[in-house]
Amino acid sequence: MGRQEGAEQGLLTAALTGGGDSGGSATGLLVLSTMVAVCGSLEFGAAIGYSSPAESGIMDDLGLSLAEYSVFGSIMTVGAILGAIMSGKTADLVGRRGAMGISNILCLSGWIAIIFSEGAWALDIGRLLVGCGVGLFSYVVPVYISEITPKNLRGGFGTAHQFMLSFGSALTYFIGTVVNWRILALIGAGPCVLQLFGLSFIPESPRWLAKLGREREYEAVLLYLRGKNADISEEATEIKEYTLTLQQISEGRILDLFQKTYTRSLLVGVGLMALQQFGGSNAIAFYASSIFESAGFPANIGTVTMAVVQVPMTIVGVLLMDKSGRRPLLLISAIGTCLGCFLAGLSFLLEDFHQWTQVAPTLAFVGIVVYNASFGLGLAGIPWLIMSEIFPMNMKGSAGSLVSVVNWFASWIVTYVFNFLMELSTAGTFFIFSAIAGLTILFVAKLVPETKGRTLEEIQAAMNPLMA
Protein backbone atom coordinates (compact mmCIF):
# COMPACT_ATOMS: atom_id res chain seq x y z
CA MET A 1 0.00 0.00 0.00
CA GLY A 2 1.38 3.52 0.70
CA ARG A 3 3.07 4.86 -2.44
CA GLN A 4 1.49 2.20 -4.64
CA GLU A 5 -1.96 2.99 -3.28
CA GLY A 6 -1.45 6.73 -3.77
CA ALA A 7 -0.23 6.22 -7.30
CA GLU A 8 -3.20 4.05 -8.20
CA GLN A 9 -5.70 6.48 -6.66
CA GLY A 10 -4.04 9.37 -8.51
CA LEU A 11 -4.28 7.47 -11.78
CA LEU A 12 -7.98 6.81 -11.27
CA THR A 13 -8.67 10.47 -10.39
CA ALA A 14 -6.66 11.80 -13.34
CA ALA A 15 -8.41 9.52 -15.78
CA LEU A 16 -11.91 10.24 -14.56
CA THR A 17 -11.52 14.01 -14.37
CA GLY A 18 -9.44 14.44 -17.52
CA GLY A 19 -11.11 16.08 -20.46
CA GLY A 20 -8.50 15.78 -23.14
CA ASP A 21 -8.94 14.65 -26.70
CA SER A 22 -12.07 16.74 -27.05
CA GLY A 23 -13.10 18.14 -30.40
CA GLY A 24 -10.06 17.03 -32.33
CA SER A 25 -10.11 17.44 -36.10
CA ALA A 26 -8.93 15.18 -38.91
CA THR A 27 -5.71 16.98 -39.87
CA GLY A 28 -3.73 16.04 -42.94
CA LEU A 29 -1.01 14.38 -40.88
CA LEU A 30 -3.53 12.38 -38.86
CA VAL A 31 -5.10 11.09 -42.08
CA LEU A 32 -1.69 10.32 -43.61
CA SER A 33 -0.49 8.53 -40.48
CA THR A 34 -3.64 6.41 -40.40
CA MET A 35 -3.35 5.59 -44.11
CA VAL A 36 0.25 4.44 -43.70
CA ALA A 37 -0.64 2.39 -40.61
CA VAL A 38 -3.54 0.61 -42.31
CA CYS A 39 -1.26 -0.60 -45.09
CA GLY A 40 -0.50 -3.19 -42.41
CA SER A 41 -4.21 -3.97 -42.21
CA LEU A 42 -4.29 -4.33 -46.00
CA GLU A 43 -1.42 -6.81 -45.72
CA PHE A 44 -3.30 -8.62 -42.95
CA GLY A 45 -6.34 -9.00 -45.23
CA ALA A 46 -4.25 -10.11 -48.20
CA ALA A 47 -2.63 -12.84 -46.09
CA ILE A 48 -6.01 -14.09 -44.86
CA GLY A 49 -7.56 -14.05 -48.32
CA TYR A 50 -4.63 -15.70 -50.11
CA SER A 51 -5.18 -19.37 -49.31
CA SER A 52 -8.71 -19.62 -50.73
CA PRO A 53 -8.13 -18.57 -54.39
CA ALA A 54 -4.63 -20.11 -54.38
CA GLU A 55 -5.80 -23.53 -53.16
CA SER A 56 -6.43 -25.35 -56.45
CA GLY A 57 -3.41 -23.83 -58.21
CA ILE A 58 -0.94 -24.73 -55.46
CA MET A 59 -2.33 -28.25 -55.00
CA ASP A 60 -2.21 -28.91 -58.76
CA ASP A 61 1.20 -27.35 -59.45
CA LEU A 62 3.03 -28.74 -56.42
CA GLY A 63 1.01 -31.93 -55.93
CA LEU A 64 -0.04 -31.20 -52.36
CA SER A 65 -2.52 -33.43 -50.58
CA LEU A 66 -5.49 -32.04 -48.65
CA ALA A 67 -3.64 -32.60 -45.37
CA GLU A 68 -0.53 -30.80 -46.68
CA TYR A 69 -2.61 -27.87 -47.86
CA SER A 70 -4.38 -27.73 -44.50
CA VAL A 71 -0.95 -27.34 -42.92
CA PHE A 72 -0.10 -24.54 -45.36
CA GLY A 73 -3.41 -22.79 -44.74
CA SER A 74 -3.20 -23.01 -40.97
CA ILE A 75 0.53 -22.49 -40.41
CA MET A 76 0.09 -18.77 -40.93
CA THR A 77 -1.78 -18.73 -37.64
CA VAL A 78 1.15 -20.50 -35.93
CA GLY A 79 3.40 -17.70 -37.18
CA ALA A 80 0.84 -15.15 -36.04
CA ILE A 81 0.92 -16.68 -32.54
CA LEU A 82 4.70 -16.18 -32.49
CA GLY A 83 4.29 -12.63 -33.78
CA ALA A 84 1.58 -11.93 -31.23
CA ILE A 85 3.72 -13.22 -28.35
CA MET A 86 6.39 -10.65 -29.13
CA SER A 87 4.04 -7.91 -30.38
CA GLY A 88 3.45 -6.02 -27.14
CA LYS A 89 7.06 -6.00 -25.97
CA THR A 90 8.33 -5.21 -29.46
CA ALA A 91 5.99 -2.23 -29.77
CA ASP A 92 7.02 -1.03 -26.31
CA LEU A 93 10.73 -1.49 -26.99
CA VAL A 94 11.16 -0.04 -30.50
CA GLY A 95 7.97 2.00 -30.73
CA ARG A 96 4.86 1.57 -32.82
CA ARG A 97 6.59 2.63 -36.06
CA GLY A 98 9.55 0.33 -35.39
CA ALA A 99 7.22 -2.62 -34.80
CA MET A 100 5.46 -1.95 -38.10
CA GLY A 101 8.83 -1.89 -39.86
CA ILE A 102 9.76 -5.29 -38.41
CA SER A 103 6.36 -6.64 -39.50
CA ASN A 104 7.02 -5.53 -43.07
CA ILE A 105 10.38 -7.26 -43.21
CA LEU A 106 8.90 -10.52 -41.94
CA CYS A 107 5.99 -10.43 -44.40
CA LEU A 108 8.18 -9.54 -47.38
CA SER A 109 10.53 -12.42 -46.56
CA GLY A 110 7.57 -14.78 -46.38
CA TRP A 111 6.02 -13.72 -49.67
CA ILE A 112 9.38 -14.09 -51.44
CA ALA A 113 9.70 -17.65 -50.10
CA ILE A 114 6.18 -18.48 -51.36
CA ILE A 115 6.81 -16.95 -54.79
CA PHE A 116 9.93 -19.09 -55.38
CA SER A 117 8.76 -22.25 -53.60
CA GLU A 118 8.92 -25.60 -55.38
CA GLY A 119 7.54 -27.76 -52.59
CA ALA A 120 5.57 -27.85 -49.37
CA TRP A 121 8.56 -27.04 -47.13
CA ALA A 122 9.33 -23.65 -48.71
CA LEU A 123 5.62 -22.81 -48.91
CA ASP A 124 5.16 -23.48 -45.21
CA ILE A 125 8.23 -21.46 -44.19
CA GLY A 126 6.99 -18.52 -46.26
CA ARG A 127 3.48 -18.72 -44.85
CA LEU A 128 4.92 -18.96 -41.32
CA LEU A 129 6.95 -15.76 -41.83
CA VAL A 130 3.93 -13.93 -43.24
CA GLY A 131 2.02 -15.07 -40.18
CA CYS A 132 4.69 -13.66 -37.84
CA GLY A 133 4.41 -10.29 -39.53
CA VAL A 134 0.62 -10.36 -39.48
CA GLY A 135 0.65 -11.26 -35.78
CA LEU A 136 2.62 -8.08 -35.12
CA PHE A 137 0.37 -6.01 -37.37
CA SER A 138 -2.79 -7.28 -35.68
CA TYR A 139 -1.66 -5.65 -32.42
CA VAL A 140 0.38 -2.61 -33.38
CA VAL A 141 -1.86 -1.08 -36.08
CA PRO A 142 -5.00 -0.59 -33.94
CA VAL A 143 -2.87 0.48 -30.95
CA TYR A 144 -1.01 3.10 -33.00
CA ILE A 145 -4.23 4.50 -34.47
CA SER A 146 -5.97 4.64 -31.09
CA GLU A 147 -3.00 6.50 -29.57
CA ILE A 148 -2.76 9.21 -32.24
CA THR A 149 -6.46 10.05 -32.69
CA PRO A 150 -8.71 12.26 -30.54
CA LYS A 151 -11.62 10.55 -28.82
CA ASN A 152 -14.30 11.98 -31.12
CA LEU A 153 -12.59 10.42 -34.16
CA ARG A 154 -11.03 7.30 -32.66
CA GLY A 155 -13.88 4.94 -33.54
CA GLY A 156 -14.03 5.89 -37.23
CA PHE A 157 -10.26 6.04 -37.64
CA GLY A 158 -9.84 2.83 -35.64
CA THR A 159 -12.20 0.93 -37.91
CA ALA A 160 -10.11 1.95 -40.91
CA HIS A 161 -8.10 -1.09 -39.75
CA GLN A 162 -11.25 -3.19 -40.11
CA PHE A 163 -12.09 -1.72 -43.51
CA MET A 164 -8.63 -2.21 -44.98
CA LEU A 165 -8.47 -5.75 -43.61
CA SER A 166 -11.75 -6.57 -45.33
CA PHE A 167 -10.70 -4.72 -48.47
CA GLY A 168 -7.39 -6.59 -48.61
CA SER A 169 -9.15 -9.91 -48.27
CA ALA A 170 -11.76 -8.98 -50.88
CA LEU A 171 -9.15 -7.67 -53.31
CA THR A 172 -7.20 -10.90 -52.98
CA TYR A 173 -10.34 -12.91 -53.75
CA PHE A 174 -10.95 -10.78 -56.87
CA ILE A 175 -7.40 -10.87 -58.19
CA GLY A 176 -7.01 -14.55 -57.32
CA THR A 177 -9.69 -15.46 -59.86
CA VAL A 178 -7.61 -14.11 -62.76
CA VAL A 179 -3.93 -14.60 -61.81
CA ASN A 180 -1.93 -17.62 -60.68
CA TRP A 181 -0.83 -18.14 -57.11
CA ARG A 182 2.75 -16.91 -57.57
CA ILE A 183 1.64 -13.58 -59.03
CA LEU A 184 -0.97 -13.33 -56.28
CA ALA A 185 1.81 -13.73 -53.71
CA LEU A 186 3.80 -10.96 -55.43
CA ILE A 187 0.77 -8.67 -55.22
CA GLY A 188 0.36 -9.64 -51.57
CA ALA A 189 3.78 -8.14 -50.83
CA GLY A 190 2.70 -4.75 -52.20
CA PRO A 191 1.24 -3.26 -48.98
CA CYS A 192 4.53 -3.96 -47.17
CA VAL A 193 6.47 -1.94 -49.72
CA LEU A 194 3.98 0.94 -49.43
CA GLN A 195 4.16 1.00 -45.65
CA LEU A 196 7.95 0.77 -45.49
CA PHE A 197 8.10 3.86 -47.71
CA GLY A 198 5.42 5.70 -45.74
CA LEU A 199 6.82 5.09 -42.24
CA SER A 200 9.48 7.75 -42.72
CA PHE A 201 6.76 10.41 -43.15
CA ILE A 202 4.67 9.77 -40.04
CA PRO A 203 5.32 10.49 -36.35
CA GLU A 204 5.66 8.09 -33.45
CA SER A 205 2.77 7.65 -31.00
CA PRO A 206 2.73 10.63 -28.58
CA ARG A 207 1.58 8.36 -25.75
CA TRP A 208 4.55 6.04 -26.30
CA LEU A 209 6.91 9.02 -26.30
CA ALA A 210 5.33 10.29 -23.09
CA LYS A 211 5.76 6.87 -21.51
CA LEU A 212 9.51 7.11 -22.21
CA GLY A 213 9.66 10.57 -20.60
CA ARG A 214 10.37 12.37 -23.88
CA GLU A 215 8.17 15.33 -22.93
CA ARG A 216 9.19 17.84 -25.58
CA GLU A 217 8.87 15.27 -28.33
CA TYR A 218 5.41 14.03 -27.36
CA GLU A 219 4.06 17.59 -27.07
CA ALA A 220 5.56 18.49 -30.45
CA VAL A 221 4.11 15.35 -32.05
CA LEU A 222 0.71 16.00 -30.46
CA LEU A 223 0.66 19.56 -31.82
CA TYR A 224 1.82 18.25 -35.20
CA LEU A 225 -1.04 15.74 -35.26
CA ARG A 226 -3.74 18.14 -34.04
CA GLY A 227 -2.71 21.11 -36.21
CA LYS A 228 -0.46 24.07 -35.47
CA ASN A 229 -3.35 26.26 -34.23
CA ALA A 230 -4.87 23.58 -31.99
CA ASP A 231 -4.98 23.96 -28.20
CA ILE A 232 -3.37 20.76 -26.95
CA SER A 233 -2.79 21.87 -23.36
CA GLU A 234 -5.64 19.90 -21.84
CA GLU A 235 -4.87 16.70 -23.74
CA ALA A 236 -1.11 17.00 -23.13
CA THR A 237 -1.69 17.58 -19.41
CA GLU A 238 -3.95 14.55 -19.13
CA ILE A 239 -1.44 12.32 -20.90
CA LYS A 240 1.38 13.66 -18.74
CA GLU A 241 -0.49 13.15 -15.45
CA TYR A 242 -1.56 9.68 -16.46
CA THR A 243 1.97 8.75 -17.54
CA LEU A 244 3.60 10.16 -14.39
CA THR A 245 1.28 8.08 -12.26
CA LEU A 246 1.99 4.98 -14.35
CA GLN A 247 5.71 5.48 -13.73
CA GLN A 248 5.06 4.91 -10.03
CA ILE A 249 3.44 1.57 -10.86
CA SER A 250 5.68 -1.23 -12.08
CA GLU A 251 5.52 -2.27 -15.73
CA GLY A 252 2.93 -4.98 -16.10
CA ARG A 253 3.84 -8.59 -16.82
CA ILE A 254 1.62 -11.26 -18.31
CA LEU A 255 0.94 -12.75 -14.87
CA ASP A 256 -0.10 -9.33 -13.53
CA LEU A 257 -3.06 -9.39 -15.90
CA PHE A 258 -4.66 -12.07 -13.77
CA GLN A 259 -5.05 -9.73 -10.80
CA LYS A 260 -8.59 -8.81 -9.81
CA THR A 261 -7.94 -5.25 -10.98
CA TYR A 262 -7.86 -6.29 -14.64
CA THR A 263 -10.47 -9.05 -14.53
CA ARG A 264 -13.08 -7.35 -16.72
CA SER A 265 -10.61 -6.03 -19.29
CA LEU A 266 -8.99 -9.43 -19.60
CA LEU A 267 -12.32 -11.24 -19.86
CA VAL A 268 -13.59 -8.85 -22.54
CA GLY A 269 -10.36 -8.84 -24.55
CA VAL A 270 -9.79 -12.60 -24.47
CA GLY A 271 -13.48 -13.45 -24.83
CA LEU A 272 -14.04 -11.34 -27.94
CA MET A 273 -10.94 -12.72 -29.66
CA ALA A 274 -11.75 -16.35 -28.88
CA LEU A 275 -15.40 -16.03 -29.92
CA GLN A 276 -14.43 -14.23 -33.14
CA GLN A 277 -12.27 -17.15 -34.22
CA PHE A 278 -14.26 -20.10 -32.87
CA GLY A 279 -17.21 -18.63 -34.74
CA GLY A 280 -15.44 -19.68 -37.94
CA SER A 281 -14.17 -16.37 -39.33
CA ASN A 282 -10.75 -17.41 -40.61
CA ALA A 283 -11.88 -20.93 -41.51
CA ILE A 284 -14.52 -19.51 -43.86
CA ALA A 285 -12.10 -16.88 -45.21
CA PHE A 286 -9.26 -19.40 -45.76
CA TYR A 287 -11.39 -22.09 -47.42
CA ALA A 288 -14.26 -20.20 -49.05
CA SER A 289 -13.67 -21.77 -52.45
CA SER A 290 -13.84 -25.33 -51.15
CA ILE A 291 -16.97 -24.51 -49.11
CA PHE A 292 -18.81 -23.35 -52.23
CA GLU A 293 -17.60 -26.36 -54.17
CA SER A 294 -18.86 -28.68 -51.40
CA ALA A 295 -22.23 -26.94 -51.60
CA GLY A 296 -22.38 -27.38 -55.38
CA PHE A 297 -22.21 -23.62 -55.99
CA PRO A 298 -19.70 -22.05 -58.46
CA ALA A 299 -16.65 -21.11 -56.37
CA ASN A 300 -15.66 -18.06 -58.43
CA ILE A 301 -19.13 -16.52 -58.22
CA GLY A 302 -19.32 -17.27 -54.51
CA THR A 303 -15.96 -15.80 -53.52
CA VAL A 304 -16.36 -12.69 -55.69
CA THR A 305 -19.84 -12.05 -54.25
CA MET A 306 -18.43 -12.45 -50.73
CA ALA A 307 -15.89 -9.76 -51.51
CA VAL A 308 -18.43 -7.46 -53.18
CA VAL A 309 -20.75 -7.60 -50.18
CA GLN A 310 -18.19 -7.43 -47.38
CA VAL A 311 -16.50 -4.19 -48.45
CA PRO A 312 -19.61 -1.92 -48.44
CA MET A 313 -20.78 -3.48 -45.18
CA THR A 314 -17.42 -2.67 -43.64
CA ILE A 315 -17.77 0.92 -44.90
CA VAL A 316 -21.16 1.10 -43.20
CA GLY A 317 -19.54 -0.09 -39.99
CA VAL A 318 -16.85 2.60 -40.25
CA LEU A 319 -19.43 5.33 -40.85
CA LEU A 320 -21.58 4.21 -37.91
CA MET A 321 -18.77 3.53 -35.44
CA ASP A 322 -18.75 6.93 -33.73
CA LYS A 323 -22.53 7.39 -34.06
CA SER A 324 -24.12 4.11 -33.05
CA GLY A 325 -21.21 2.91 -30.89
CA ARG A 326 -19.27 -0.36 -30.67
CA ARG A 327 -21.78 -2.56 -28.82
CA PRO A 328 -24.77 -2.17 -31.20
CA LEU A 329 -22.60 -2.97 -34.22
CA LEU A 330 -21.11 -5.98 -32.47
CA LEU A 331 -24.58 -7.27 -31.57
CA ILE A 332 -25.92 -6.86 -35.11
CA SER A 333 -22.76 -8.46 -36.50
CA ALA A 334 -23.04 -11.46 -34.16
CA ILE A 335 -26.72 -11.95 -34.97
CA GLY A 336 -25.93 -11.90 -38.70
CA THR A 337 -23.09 -14.41 -38.40
CA CYS A 338 -25.31 -16.70 -36.32
CA LEU A 339 -28.02 -16.58 -39.00
CA GLY A 340 -25.54 -17.01 -41.87
CA CYS A 341 -23.94 -20.13 -40.39
CA PHE A 342 -27.36 -21.57 -39.55
CA LEU A 343 -28.49 -21.15 -43.17
CA ALA A 344 -25.27 -22.74 -44.46
CA GLY A 345 -25.65 -25.65 -42.04
CA LEU A 346 -29.29 -26.08 -43.02
CA SER A 347 -28.37 -26.23 -46.71
CA PHE A 348 -25.84 -29.02 -46.12
CA LEU A 349 -28.36 -30.85 -43.92
CA LEU A 350 -30.92 -30.72 -46.74
CA GLU A 351 -28.34 -32.16 -49.12
CA ASP A 352 -27.54 -34.96 -46.66
CA PHE A 353 -31.23 -35.93 -46.62
CA HIS A 354 -31.62 -35.33 -50.38
CA GLN A 355 -34.28 -32.69 -49.80
CA TRP A 356 -34.64 -29.51 -51.86
CA THR A 357 -31.41 -30.37 -53.65
CA GLN A 358 -31.91 -27.63 -56.24
CA VAL A 359 -32.39 -24.96 -53.56
CA ALA A 360 -29.69 -26.12 -51.12
CA PRO A 361 -26.64 -24.74 -53.04
CA THR A 362 -28.24 -21.29 -53.25
CA LEU A 363 -29.13 -21.45 -49.55
CA ALA A 364 -25.48 -22.21 -48.72
CA PHE A 365 -24.39 -19.30 -50.90
CA VAL A 366 -26.83 -16.93 -49.16
CA GLY A 367 -25.70 -18.16 -45.75
CA ILE A 368 -21.99 -17.61 -46.42
CA VAL A 369 -22.62 -14.18 -47.96
CA VAL A 370 -24.81 -13.14 -44.99
CA TYR A 371 -22.09 -14.39 -42.65
CA ASN A 372 -19.33 -12.49 -44.44
CA ALA A 373 -21.32 -9.26 -44.71
CA SER A 374 -22.29 -9.39 -41.04
CA PHE A 375 -18.75 -10.22 -39.96
CA GLY A 376 -17.40 -7.23 -41.88
CA LEU A 377 -19.89 -4.92 -40.15
CA GLY A 378 -18.42 -5.39 -36.70
CA LEU A 379 -16.74 -8.61 -35.59
CA ALA A 380 -13.91 -8.30 -38.10
CA GLY A 381 -12.36 -5.20 -36.56
CA ILE A 382 -14.16 -3.98 -33.44
CA PRO A 383 -12.57 -6.59 -31.12
CA TRP A 384 -9.13 -5.26 -32.14
CA LEU A 385 -10.27 -1.67 -31.57
CA ILE A 386 -11.69 -2.49 -28.14
CA MET A 387 -8.52 -4.40 -27.26
CA SER A 388 -6.50 -1.24 -27.96
CA GLU A 389 -8.79 0.83 -25.72
CA ILE A 390 -9.42 -1.16 -22.54
CA PHE A 391 -5.93 -1.77 -21.13
CA PRO A 392 -3.77 0.90 -19.39
CA MET A 393 -0.38 1.84 -20.82
CA ASN A 394 1.59 -0.10 -18.21
CA MET A 395 -0.29 -3.29 -19.15
CA LYS A 396 -0.86 -2.68 -22.85
CA GLY A 397 2.21 -4.56 -24.06
CA SER A 398 1.57 -7.69 -22.01
CA ALA A 399 -2.18 -7.55 -22.56
CA GLY A 400 -1.81 -7.03 -26.29
CA SER A 401 0.48 -10.02 -26.59
CA LEU A 402 -1.80 -12.28 -24.56
CA VAL A 403 -5.01 -11.27 -26.32
CA SER A 404 -3.40 -11.56 -29.76
CA VAL A 405 -2.00 -14.99 -28.90
CA VAL A 406 -5.47 -16.16 -27.85
CA ASN A 407 -6.92 -14.90 -31.14
CA TRP A 408 -4.31 -16.58 -33.32
CA PHE A 409 -4.20 -19.79 -31.30
CA ALA A 410 -7.98 -20.11 -31.66
CA SER A 411 -7.59 -19.35 -35.38
CA TRP A 412 -4.95 -22.08 -35.75
CA ILE A 413 -7.19 -24.66 -34.09
CA VAL A 414 -10.17 -23.79 -36.28
CA THR A 415 -8.31 -23.47 -39.59
CA TYR A 416 -6.37 -26.70 -39.07
CA VAL A 417 -9.34 -28.89 -38.09
CA PHE A 418 -11.86 -27.25 -40.42
CA ASN A 419 -11.33 -29.56 -43.41
CA PHE A 420 -11.45 -32.62 -41.17
CA LEU A 421 -14.66 -31.38 -39.51
CA MET A 422 -16.17 -30.84 -42.95
CA GLU A 423 -15.39 -34.46 -43.83
CA LEU A 424 -17.06 -35.66 -40.63
CA SER A 425 -20.17 -33.47 -40.89
CA THR A 426 -20.45 -30.42 -43.10
CA ALA A 427 -23.80 -29.41 -41.64
CA GLY A 428 -22.61 -30.00 -38.08
CA THR A 429 -19.56 -27.78 -38.65
CA PHE A 430 -21.72 -24.78 -39.52
CA PHE A 431 -24.23 -25.46 -36.77
CA ILE A 432 -21.33 -25.36 -34.29
CA PHE A 433 -20.23 -22.00 -35.71
CA SER A 434 -23.82 -20.75 -35.45
CA ALA A 435 -24.05 -21.81 -31.79
CA ILE A 436 -20.80 -20.00 -30.96
CA ALA A 437 -22.11 -16.87 -32.69
CA GLY A 438 -25.17 -17.18 -30.43
CA LEU A 439 -22.85 -17.21 -27.40
CA THR A 440 -21.16 -14.11 -28.81
CA ILE A 441 -24.49 -12.26 -28.77
CA LEU A 442 -24.92 -13.03 -25.05
CA PHE A 443 -21.29 -12.16 -24.28
CA VAL A 444 -21.49 -8.74 -25.94
CA ALA A 445 -24.85 -7.95 -24.35
CA LYS A 446 -23.68 -8.82 -20.83
CA LEU A 447 -19.99 -7.89 -20.64
CA VAL A 448 -18.67 -5.65 -23.42
CA PRO A 449 -18.60 -1.92 -22.50
CA GLU A 450 -19.42 0.97 -24.79
CA THR A 451 -16.22 2.96 -25.41
CA LYS A 452 -17.59 5.53 -27.85
CA GLY A 453 -16.77 9.15 -27.01
CA ARG A 454 -14.48 8.43 -24.06
CA THR A 455 -10.75 9.09 -23.71
CA LEU A 456 -8.44 6.11 -23.35
CA GLU A 457 -7.74 7.19 -19.79
CA GLU A 458 -11.46 7.34 -18.92
CA ILE A 459 -12.09 3.91 -20.43
CA GLN A 460 -9.24 2.32 -18.54
CA ALA A 461 -10.29 3.89 -15.25
CA ALA A 462 -13.85 2.61 -15.64
CA MET A 463 -12.74 -0.86 -16.77
CA ASN A 464 -9.93 -1.27 -14.24
CA PRO A 465 -10.80 0.44 -10.93
CA LEU A 466 -7.40 0.19 -9.28
CA MET A 467 -7.42 -1.73 -6.02
CA ALA A 468 -5.79 -0.48 -2.85
Side-chain angles (χ1 to χ4, degrees), residues 23 116 120 132 154 201 203 245 303 321 331 395 446:
F116 293 103
C132 288
R154 194 176 61 245
F201 298 99
T245 310
T303 53
M321 183 61 60
L331 286 169
M395 298 302 302
K446 295 292 184 181

Side-chain angles (χ1 to χ4, degrees), residues 18 65 76 79 99 178 199 247 271 280 302-303 320 337 368 372 374 397 428:
S65 66
M76 189 192 92
V178 295
L199 285 174
Q247 289 173 357
T303 53
L320 292 177
T337 57
I368 297 299
N372 217 45
S374 302

Side-chain angles (χ1 to χ4, degrees), residues 24-349:
S25 59
T27 62
L29 181 63
L30 181 61
V31 173
L32 175 65
S33 299
T34 303
M35 289 176 64
V36 171
V38 296
C39 285
S41 312
L42 186 64
E43 174 62 30
F44 189 167
I48 288 175
Y50 178 78
S51 61
S52 177
E55 181 173 358
S56 60
I58 290 177
M59 291 181 71
D60 291 343
D61 290 353
L62 302 183
L64 269 61
S65 66
L66 179 62
E68 287 174 321
Y69 195 80
S70 292
V71 171
F72 171 73
S74 63
I75 202 170
M76 189 192 92
T77 57
V78 177
I81 291 171
L82 299 175
I85 288 172
M86 63 181 182
S87 62
K89 291 301 180 185
T90 301
D92 284 347
L93 183 64
V94 301
R96 292 15 175 170
R97 287 195 314 165
M100 286 188 274
I102 293 171
S103 301
N104 285 310
I105 293 170
L106 288 167
C107 287
L108 279 172
S109 301
W111 286 121
I112 290 170
I114 291 173
I115 291 167
F116 293 103
S117 62
E118 295 296 336
W121 183 84
L123 270 178
D124 292 344
I125 292 296
R127 186 78 165 159
L128 184 73
L129 288 170
V130 171
C132 288
V134 165
L136 265 173
F137 275 136
S138 66
Y139 168 74
V140 73
V141 171
V143 166
Y144 177 77
I145 295 172
S146 74
E147 290 180 356
I148 66 172
T149 50
K151 71 177 184 182
N152 60 306
L153 299 175
R154 194 176 61 245
F157 274 71
T159 49
H161 167 68
Q162 175 182 348
F163 169 72
M164 292 303 285
L165 194 161
S166 298
F167 181 72
S169 178
L171 191 64
T172 305
Y173 284 142
F174 276 126
I175 297 174
T177 62
V178 295
V179 302
N180 70 41
W181 58 275
R182 294 188 195 272
I183 295 176
L184 190 62
L186 180 64
I187 294 169
C192 297
V193 177
L194 286 175
Q195 190 179 74
L196 275 174
F197 175 74
L199 285 174
S200 59
F201 298 99
I202 65 174
E204 185 51 86
S205 158
R207 284 179 168 86
W208 182 76
L209 293 170
K211 182 183 176 184
L212 296 186
R214 293 155 65 172
E215 187 170 337
R216 289 186 179 180
E217 288 182 68
Y218 96 77
E219 289 183 350
V221 166
L222 198 59
L223 183 62
Y224 199 28
L225 285 165
R226 301 292 179 260
K228 63 180 181 180
N229 297 321
D231 180 7
I232 63 165
S233 57
E234 199 171 3
E235 183 178 2
T237 299
E238 180 180 355
I239 294 173
K240 181 179 179 180
E241 290 176 355
Y242 188 76
T243 305
L244 286 174
T245 310
L246 281 175
Q247 289 173 357
Q248 301 176 51
I249 304 172
S250 60
E251 185 72 17
R253 300 167 300 170
I254 289 284
L255 291 178
D256 294 334
L257 283 169
F258 296 93
Q259 298 175 15
K260 187 177 180 181
T261 300
Y262 306 110
T263 298
R264 190 180 177 197
S265 288
L266 186 64
L267 184 60
V268 169
V270 169
L272 280 177
M273 293 302 185
L275 289 168
Q276 180 201 59
Q277 291 303 328
F278 284 124
S281 59
N282 277 358
I284 292 172
F286 283 19
Y287 304 113
S289 294
S290 61
I291 292 171
F292 286 121
E293 288 173 1
S294 297
F297 195 89
N300 285 351
I301 295 175
T303 53
V304 168
T305 306
M306 278 176 59
V308 168
V309 171
Q310 186 175 11
V311 171
M313 288 299 288
T314 305
I315 294 173
V316 171
V318 170
L319 295 176
L320 292 177
M321 183 61 60
D322 283 316
K323 295 181 180 179
S324 66
R326 282 60 152 162
R327 289 181 79 250
L329 286 177
L330 275 176
L331 286 169
I332 294 170
S333 180
I335 291 168
T337 57
C338 181
L339 175 62
C341 283
F342 180 80
L343 291 176
L346 181 61
S347 73
F348 287 113
L349 187 65

Side-chain angles (χ1 to χ4, degrees), residues 1-23:
M1 304 227 330
R3 183 182 180 190
Q4 178 83 358
E5 179 182 353
E8 292 174 343
Q9 188 61 42
L11 178 55
L12 177 60
T13 303
L16 288 175
T17 59
D21 285 355
S22 59

